[in-house]
Amino acid sequence: MHSRAASWLRHRLGRAVVLVYALALLLPAPGLWLRRPHPLPPTHLTVHTAPLLLSLVLFSAGLQVPVRALGALLRHPKALFAGLVLHLAIPLTVVPFVAFLLRRTPDTDGGSGLLTAMILVVAMPVAAGATVWADKGGGDQPTMVGLVLASTLLSPLTTPLLLATLSPLLSGGYAHTLAATGRLAGGGFALTSVVLPCAAGLLGALVLSTRRLGRLVAAVAPSALAGSLVLTYVNASGALGSVLTRPRPLLFAAALAVAALVCLLSFVLGGVAARVLRLEAGTASSLTLACGMNNSSASAVLITASLPGKPHLLLPVLAYGLLQKSAANRIVTRLRPAPTTAGA
């Protein structure tokens, strides 16, 4: 029953996300309440809903990773190494270019708020959902899984490094805020909310028998799928909660434009690198997807934790989350291998 419900929801996930965004726009109060920390009586512990939901989603993703398929990747690591280098190089190329363009706008801080949000997106590890798109497009699944795992496990080092390197591009208090966020990411967030849940899921996938793993996935996956929608609602409520009462059309337009530009450049550079390396079609597809698909949910949770007074910074993050899925759909449609005809 649970697996059928999860399958039904997975096939309608795009429409479900749109409905969640509409709910956040029209009824943001529950999401705003969930954004706040809540004490857990009778203990002195404080529960933060968004990081818990993110951990559940990443634990489920780790459980469903075909870990045993990585052996072939270790024998041919060129694409994995290239993907990790690009994961660091693309933000260092794209963000300064976008910062240069934003300084030509009339915004008094040179678009530093939007730029902060984009830096926090591109500094995140490769999204676990990229493996789904690689599978749909006939991509090289071991390469994609390896890039998701490697970027996730290295994120306590790479995320603070990227934030510290790119923070001088910001003006005003945003540079100090991003530096503090980098310390938060390196000091605990990436480890406890990203790496450990994913590693726990991977450990389960390695040590459990096929039968027990199947039962655990059947129990966890529907909850994680529902949790991802709740997490989207919580993040969207913070960004869209004031739209009806205080509309800001210029901010919406700017957020969408900046997110679209960063998303487009990331995918394009990934595709160019795949062609330069002369990778075969499946591996090229996986590398391109990994370059453009970042864990936007993790960046939204980090923004909520480090910048609770600036929910508008979630707007470009939410836009990027939608745009990267649209771009991934176009890539897998274009690069999907042509079906072979019978008797050919």
Side-chain angles (χ1 to χ4, degrees), residues 118-236:
M118 285 295 93
I119 291 172
L120 289 170
V121 169
V122 297
M124 291 296 113
V126 179
T131 58
V132 177
W133 290 103
D135 184 58
K136 286 183 177 180
D140 183 352
Q141 194 71 327
T143 294
M144 179 57 79
V145 170
L147 287 170
V148 170
L149 293 183
S151 63
T152 299
L153 297 176
L154 290 173
S155 60
L157 299 174
T158 57
T159 297
L161 174 64
L162 285 172
L163 297 187
T165 304
L166 295 171
S167 61
L169 296 172
L170 305 175
S171 61
Y174 283 107
H176 299 292
T177 300
L178 193 65
T181 305
R183 290 191 292 271
L184 174 64
F189 172 82
L191 182 64
T192 58
S193 296
V194 178
V195 174
L196 289 181
C198 185
L202 290 171
L203 183 62
L206 278 173
V207 303
L208 293 177
S209 66
T210 303
R211 184 177 179 182
R212 290 183 176 178
L213 179 61
R215 287 179 177 175
L216 183 57
V217 169
V220 172
S223 300
L225 199 56
S228 70
L229 290 175
V230 175
L231 180 59
T232 300
Y233 170 66
V234 170
N235 292 330

Side-chain angles (χ1 to χ4, degrees), residues 152-321:
T152 299
L153 297 176
L154 290 173
S155 60
L157 299 174
T158 57
T159 297
L161 174 64
L162 285 172
L163 297 187
T165 304
L166 295 171
S167 61
L169 296 172
L170 305 175
S171 61
Y174 283 107
H176 299 292
T177 300
L178 193 65
T181 305
R183 290 191 292 271
L184 174 64
F189 172 82
L191 182 64
T192 58
S193 296
V194 178
V195 174
L196 289 181
C198 185
L202 290 171
L203 183 62
L206 278 173
V207 303
L208 293 177
S209 66
T210 303
R211 184 177 179 182
R212 290 183 176 178
L213 179 61
R215 287 179 177 175
L216 183 57
V217 169
V220 172
S223 300
L225 199 56
S228 70
L229 290 175
V230 175
L231 180 59
T232 300
Y233 170 66
V234 170
N235 292 330
S237 296
L240 304 177
S242 62
V243 167
L244 296 181
T245 55
R246 287 181 290 122
R248 301 172 71 180
L250 288 179
L251 177 62
F252 277 150
L256 183 61
V258 170
L261 180 59
V262 173
C263 186
L264 175 65
L265 290 175
S266 298
F267 276 108
V268 167
L269 289 175
V272 169
R275 285 195 291 274
V276 170
L277 293 171
R278 297 182 180 179
L279 301 176
E280 62 93 19
T283 307
S285 174
S286 293
L287 183 67
T288 304
L289 288 170
C291 289
M293 299 197 74
N294 295 294
N295 196 325
S296 57
S297 294
S299 58
V301 173
L302 188 57
I303 288 174
T304 301
S306 60
L307 297 161
K310 298 184 182 295
H312 64 280
L313 295 187
L314 291 169
L315 284 172
V317 176
L318 296 174
Y320 193 97

